[in-house]
Amino acid sequence: MSKDKFTTLKTTAVPLPNENIDTDQIIPARFLKATTREGFGDNLFRDWRYDADNNPIAGFVLNDKKYSGKILVAGKNFGCGSSREHAAWAIYDFGFRVVVSSFFADIFKNNALNNGLLPIVVSDGFLKQMLEAIELNPKTEIVVDLVNQIMQVGAVKESFEINAYKKTCLMNGYDDIDYLLSLNKEIKEFDVAHA
Amino acid sequence: MSQQKPRTIFEKIWDAHVVKRAEGYPDALFIDRHFIHEVTSPQAFDGLRKRNIPVFNTNRTTATADHNVPTKDQHLPIKEALSRHQVETLRKNCQEFGVELYDLGHPYQGIVHIIGPELGLTQPGMTIVCGDSHTSTHGAFGNIAFGIGTSEVEQVLATQCILQYRPKTMKIEINGALAKGVVSKDIILYIISKISASGATGFFVEYAGDTIRNLSMEARMTICNMSIEMGARGGLIAPDETTFNYMRGRKFAPQGEAFEQKVADWKKLTTDEGATYDVVLQYDAADIAPMITYGTNPGMGMKVTDRIPTVEELKEISEHASFKKSLEYMGLEQGASLLGKAVDYVFIGSCTNARIEDLRLVADMVKGKKKAENVEVWVIPGSKQVEAQAISEGLDKVFEAAGFELRSPGCSACLGMNEDKVPAGKYCISTSNRNFEGRQGPKSRTFLASPLSAAAAAITGRVTDVREFN
């Protein structure tokens, strides 16, 4: 699916410093029964966000009015576990456009990039600084500049890596199928040769 | 011909499947075999419809219903409306696009990673993907198999290719004889406990060493299955006679002379002398004991006789908060032993441990015994074929006499997507692959262990050292 184009983003962020946040926490399996991509944001972090009677759990960041913005800042190994793309859909559907962590699980990272959600890997030190800054002042302004691959938190900057192909896709709203479809002839030949 | 650089088996298979390598792009990797199921495919088929394109080659995709199916009364319409709709959507999509579906009731239906190997669809040297992270299971046959997201499922349906950067390589070598009571599940839980739930992220693993060589195909699949639990893209084992003997005569494997010709090719799938890996890890089988997890990720595991660590014993200070949260969720104390801890449920199933060999291990152990009164025991065979085999061997009678409930195939309580959920606060010793918070049902508490350990706990009602079990 072609997504919104991403170049720069100026926003605030929501801190979720837990490590090893798996995709079962992001979107529990019992909410994977839909056959469309929309609406998963309602159940984002369902079991951390709501109790068994569907009442919001006080203290969880998504229920805390002081935090808002389009960036989710999480502890290391974010998105481990199941390959469910619903995790990326839920985060995007909720309104986030960027997830920051010091380390992402591979499949989640691919899924995010395929849905216009930018995963930014930062150093452990920068992550710690960033979490502290947001907790101290939830209105801390954060600028994500994808073109120059720089993230600025208050007065502090850090550059981030993203491979050139995925960057082009995000900036232009392209997806992988556009490119693969252009290889149709070569793929057909390969398929026949390897039947 | 120029002298080729020595390559690992992974590099050989990868290179053989690159349709296009272009500057500035990931490799366009051809996919030989694609498995789909009801949960991660509907949005991909929608994508095809929106673009008005067909499935590239229907012979290379196989579908089954497994994640979201009931394990009781499978012959009746699915009661839960959303689950029923999802399975019906799969049915409709497969019919519209011409994809072979092993639907509920079909003799080949089952958990996608169990049916691929047992039907001979999974073969050495292939590239295999599925919208499920445990696709790594198939790597036991010496192929590149990994889980993908739904956008990638759509790519594969549309083009039979996927755009991928080649991961780094890791070799994990285990040598020596396994002690009594130690099975392949313990090997992989041991490795993950050593390198953590993210220790192999960014890598594709090759398992080697004589301990691995001496394992059956089913035991090898258990190990490759859990590669993803240490973050690896996948894990493979070079094919050998064990592999070929398992495959010979299977439904979709080449037959007769054609099979023997294939075997000659498959024998070349070895890592060259002098090939290098980005990381090499070595373990001694003698150090492996029956394992159990105590926390909420598969890296939080220990020997069943060990104590849960204390925060002071953790290497990383940054882990303290997550560790404490995890133990609080599990209702466990730092430094405590799990031996003798009462359990409420025993789940024997999942793509990790629901093959016939697993059911035989359990049946051997519990024959003539009865389950403890405090536990409920579910045995969920991995496929219709496993179920039929179990019944033909009389294992169903053993389970029945023991008070175990033998149900119909599906993913079941591994992920609690259907009705098979462990209630809040209850402890389940499970042969599955994940102990995440709420994985087996909201607020459920999971101890991952081998089928032997699960069987022993079913009889004693407690976490038990299988070596002490008579």
Side-chain angles (χ1 to χ4, degrees), chain A residues 57-88:
Chain A
I57 296 171
F60 182 61
V61 282
L62 296 189
N63 297 327
D64 190 337
K65 294 272 185 286
K66 33 179 214 288
Y67 298 114
S68 64
K70 294 184 174 178
I71 301 177
L72 179 67
V73 186
K76 80 169 180 213
N77 199 25
F78 186 81
C80 58
S82 157
S83 63
R84 60 189 70 165
E85 194 162 313
H86 312 66

Short mmCIF file of all heavy atoms in Angstrom, two decimals, chain A residues 57-88:
data_model
loop_
_atom_site.label_atom_id
_atom_site.label_comp_id
_atom_site.label_asym_id
_atom_site.label_seq_id
_atom_site.Cartn_x
_atom_site.Cartn_y
_atom_site.Cartn_z
N ILE A 57 -6.29 1.78 32.57
CA ILE A 57 -5.42 1.57 33.72
C ILE A 57 -4.63 2.86 33.95
O ILE A 57 -3.85 3.28 33.09
CB ILE A 57 -4.47 0.37 33.49
CG1 ILE A 57 -5.29 -0.92 33.37
CG2 ILE A 57 -3.43 0.27 34.61
CD1 ILE A 57 -4.51 -2.14 32.94
N ALA A 58 -4.88 3.49 35.11
CA ALA A 58 -4.20 4.75 35.41
C ALA A 58 -2.70 4.50 35.47
O ALA A 58 -2.25 3.47 35.94
CB ALA A 58 -4.71 5.29 36.74
N GLY A 59 -1.94 5.43 34.99
CA GLY A 59 -0.49 5.29 35.08
C GLY A 59 0.13 4.76 33.80
O GLY A 59 1.32 4.96 33.58
N PHE A 60 -0.64 4.09 32.95
CA PHE A 60 -0.04 3.64 31.70
C PHE A 60 0.09 4.86 30.78
O PHE A 60 -0.84 5.66 30.67
CB PHE A 60 -0.87 2.54 31.04
CG PHE A 60 -0.24 2.03 29.77
CD1 PHE A 60 1.02 1.45 29.80
CD2 PHE A 60 -0.87 2.21 28.54
CE1 PHE A 60 1.63 1.02 28.63
CE2 PHE A 60 -0.26 1.78 27.37
CZ PHE A 60 0.99 1.18 27.41
N VAL A 61 1.21 4.96 30.10
CA VAL A 61 1.51 6.21 29.36
C VAL A 61 0.44 6.63 28.35
O VAL A 61 0.18 7.81 28.19
CB VAL A 61 2.88 6.17 28.64
CG1 VAL A 61 4.00 6.41 29.63
CG2 VAL A 61 3.06 4.90 27.85
N LEU A 62 -0.19 5.67 27.70
CA LEU A 62 -1.18 6.07 26.69
C LEU A 62 -2.46 6.60 27.35
O LEU A 62 -3.30 7.20 26.69
CB LEU A 62 -1.54 4.90 25.76
CG LEU A 62 -0.43 4.35 24.87
CD1 LEU A 62 -0.99 3.37 23.86
CD2 LEU A 62 0.33 5.45 24.15
N ASN A 63 -2.60 6.35 28.67
CA ASN A 63 -3.75 6.89 29.39
C ASN A 63 -3.38 8.15 30.16
O ASN A 63 -4.21 8.71 30.87
CB ASN A 63 -4.28 5.85 30.39
CG ASN A 63 -4.79 4.60 29.68
OD1 ASN A 63 -5.30 4.68 28.58
ND2 ASN A 63 -4.63 3.45 30.33
N ASP A 64 -2.14 8.55 30.03
CA ASP A 64 -1.65 9.68 30.82
C ASP A 64 -1.70 10.93 29.94
O ASP A 64 -0.95 11.07 28.98
CB ASP A 64 -0.20 9.37 31.25
CG ASP A 64 0.32 10.37 32.27
OD1 ASP A 64 -0.21 11.50 32.31
OD2 ASP A 64 1.27 10.01 32.99
N LYS A 65 -2.59 11.84 30.32
CA LYS A 65 -2.84 13.04 29.50
C LYS A 65 -1.60 13.89 29.27
O LYS A 65 -1.53 14.63 28.29
CB LYS A 65 -3.94 13.90 30.15
CG LYS A 65 -5.32 13.24 30.18
CD LYS A 65 -6.10 13.52 28.89
CE LYS A 65 -7.52 12.98 28.95
NZ LYS A 65 -7.57 11.51 28.82
N LYS A 66 -0.60 13.77 30.20
CA LYS A 66 0.55 14.65 29.99
C LYS A 66 1.37 14.28 28.75
O LYS A 66 2.06 15.11 28.22
CB LYS A 66 1.49 14.76 31.18
CG LYS A 66 1.77 13.73 32.12
CD LYS A 66 2.82 14.24 33.17
CE LYS A 66 3.73 13.10 33.59
NZ LYS A 66 3.04 12.13 34.45
N TYR A 67 1.23 13.03 28.31
CA TYR A 67 2.02 12.62 27.14
C TYR A 67 1.18 12.58 25.87
O TYR A 67 0.04 12.09 25.87
CB TYR A 67 2.62 11.22 27.36
CG TYR A 67 3.57 11.17 28.53
CD1 TYR A 67 3.27 10.43 29.65
CD2 TYR A 67 4.77 11.88 28.50
CE1 TYR A 67 4.14 10.37 30.74
CE2 TYR A 67 5.65 11.84 29.58
CZ TYR A 67 5.34 11.09 30.69
OH TYR A 67 6.19 11.03 31.75
N SER A 68 1.77 13.08 24.80
CA SER A 68 1.10 13.01 23.51
C SER A 68 2.17 13.10 22.43
O SER A 68 3.36 13.21 22.74
CB SER A 68 0.10 14.15 23.36
OG SER A 68 0.81 15.38 23.37
N GLY A 69 1.75 13.07 21.19
CA GLY A 69 2.72 13.24 20.11
C GLY A 69 2.78 12.02 19.22
O GLY A 69 2.12 11.01 19.46
N LYS A 70 3.56 12.17 18.16
CA LYS A 70 3.59 11.13 17.12
C LYS A 70 4.79 10.21 17.19
O LYS A 70 5.07 9.46 16.27
CB LYS A 70 3.54 11.81 15.75
CG LYS A 70 2.22 12.54 15.51
CD LYS A 70 2.15 13.12 14.13
CE LYS A 70 0.75 13.69 13.92
NZ LYS A 70 0.62 14.32 12.61
N ILE A 71 5.55 10.32 18.30
CA ILE A 71 6.73 9.47 18.45
C ILE A 71 6.57 8.59 19.69
O ILE A 71 6.22 9.09 20.76
CB ILE A 71 8.02 10.31 18.58
CG1 ILE A 71 8.20 11.20 17.35
CG2 ILE A 71 9.24 9.41 18.78
CD1 ILE A 71 9.40 12.12 17.43
N LEU A 72 6.83 7.29 19.53
CA LEU A 72 6.84 6.38 20.67
C LEU A 72 8.31 6.06 20.95
O LEU A 72 9.04 5.67 20.04
CB LEU A 72 6.07 5.10 20.32
CG LEU A 72 6.00 4.02 21.40
CD1 LEU A 72 5.18 4.50 22.60
CD2 LEU A 72 5.39 2.73 20.84
N VAL A 73 8.74 6.26 22.18
CA VAL A 73 10.13 6.00 22.55
C VAL A 73 10.16 4.79 23.47
O VAL A 73 9.57 4.82 24.56
CB VAL A 73 10.76 7.22 23.26
CG1 VAL A 73 12.25 6.98 23.48
CG2 VAL A 73 10.55 8.48 22.45
N ALA A 74 10.81 3.73 23.04
CA ALA A 74 10.72 2.46 23.78
C ALA A 74 12.09 1.89 24.10
O ALA A 74 13.09 2.22 23.46
CB ALA A 74 9.92 1.46 22.97
N GLY A 75 12.12 0.99 25.08
CA GLY A 75 13.35 0.30 25.48
C GLY A 75 13.83 -0.67 24.41
O GLY A 75 13.16 -0.90 23.40
N LYS A 76 14.99 -1.27 24.66
CA LYS A 76 15.64 -2.06 23.60
C LYS A 76 14.90 -3.36 23.27
O LYS A 76 14.16 -3.89 24.07
CB LYS A 76 17.10 -2.32 23.96
CG LYS A 76 17.33 -3.42 24.93
CD LYS A 76 18.82 -3.77 24.99
CE LYS A 76 19.00 -4.90 25.98
NZ LYS A 76 20.23 -4.88 26.72
N ASN A 77 15.17 -3.84 22.06
CA ASN A 77 14.54 -5.05 21.50
C ASN A 77 13.03 -4.86 21.34
O ASN A 77 12.24 -5.76 21.65
CB ASN A 77 14.86 -6.29 22.33
CG ASN A 77 14.63 -7.57 21.55
OD1 ASN A 77 14.67 -7.59 20.31
ND2 ASN A 77 14.36 -8.65 22.25
N PHE A 78 12.65 -3.73 20.83
CA PHE A 78 11.24 -3.45 20.61
C PHE A 78 10.71 -4.28 19.43
O PHE A 78 11.36 -4.39 18.40
CB PHE A 78 11.04 -1.95 20.30
CG PHE A 78 9.59 -1.56 20.19
CD1 PHE A 78 8.84 -1.31 21.32
CD2 PHE A 78 8.96 -1.46 18.94
CE1 PHE A 78 7.49 -0.96 21.23
CE2 PHE A 78 7.62 -1.11 18.84
CZ PHE A 78 6.89 -0.86 19.99
N GLY A 79 9.51 -4.84 19.61
CA GLY A 79 8.84 -5.55 18.51
C GLY A 79 9.28 -6.99 18.32
O GLY A 79 9.08 -7.57 17.25
N CYS A 80 9.85 -7.59 19.38
CA CYS A 80 10.28 -8.98 19.24
C CYS A 80 9.05 -9.91 19.24
O CYS A 80 7.95 -9.49 19.58
CB CYS A 80 11.26 -9.36 20.34
SG CYS A 80 10.63 -9.16 22.01
N GLY A 81 9.28 -11.15 18.85
CA GLY A 81 8.19 -12.13 18.87
C GLY A 81 7.53 -12.29 17.52
O GLY A 81 8.17 -12.27 16.48
N SER A 82 6.23 -12.40 17.57
CA SER A 82 5.41 -12.71 16.40
C SER A 82 5.63 -11.74 15.24
O SER A 82 5.89 -10.56 15.45
CB SER A 82 3.94 -12.68 16.83
OG SER A 82 3.08 -12.45 15.75
N SER A 83 5.46 -12.25 14.02
CA SER A 83 5.65 -11.44 12.81
C SER A 83 4.44 -10.58 12.48
O SER A 83 4.45 -9.88 11.48
CB SER A 83 5.95 -12.36 11.63
OG SER A 83 4.84 -13.21 11.39
N ARG A 84 3.42 -10.63 13.29
CA ARG A 84 2.15 -9.94 12.98
C ARG A 84 2.37 -8.47 12.59
O ARG A 84 2.82 -7.66 13.38
CB ARG A 84 1.19 -10.06 14.19
CG ARG A 84 1.71 -9.46 15.44
CD ARG A 84 0.83 -9.78 16.65
NE ARG A 84 0.93 -11.21 17.00
CZ ARG A 84 0.53 -11.72 18.15
NH1 ARG A 84 -0.02 -10.94 19.07
NH2 ARG A 84 0.65 -13.00 18.40
N GLU A 85 2.01 -8.16 11.37
CA GLU A 85 2.15 -6.78 10.90
C GLU A 85 1.12 -5.89 11.59
O GLU A 85 1.24 -4.66 11.59
CB GLU A 85 1.96 -6.74 9.37
CG GLU A 85 2.40 -5.45 8.73
CD GLU A 85 2.62 -5.59 7.23
OE1 GLU A 85 3.28 -6.57 6.81
OE2 GLU A 85 2.12 -4.74 6.48
N HIS A 86 0.11 -6.54 12.17
CA HIS A 86 -0.91 -5.82 12.93
C HIS A 86 -0.28 -4.93 14.00
O HIS A 86 -0.87 -3.92 14.38
CB HIS A 86 -1.87 -6.82 13.58
CG HIS A 86 -2.36 -7.90 12.66
ND1 HIS A 86 -1.52 -8.85 12.13
CD2 HIS A 86 -3.59 -8.17 12.17
CE1 HIS A 86 -2.21 -9.67 11.35
NE2 HIS A 86 -3.48 -9.28 11.35
N ALA A 87 0.91 -5.30 14.48
CA ALA A 87 1.60 -4.48 15.49
C ALA A 87 1.95 -3.13 14.89
O ALA A 87 1.71 -2.07 15.50
CB ALA A 87 2.84 -5.21 15.99
N ALA A 88 2.51 -3.14 13.69
CA ALA A 88 2.86 -1.87 13.02
C ALA A 88 1.58 -1.10 12.66
O ALA A 88 1.52 0.11 12.82
CB ALA A 88 3.69 -2.15 11.77
#
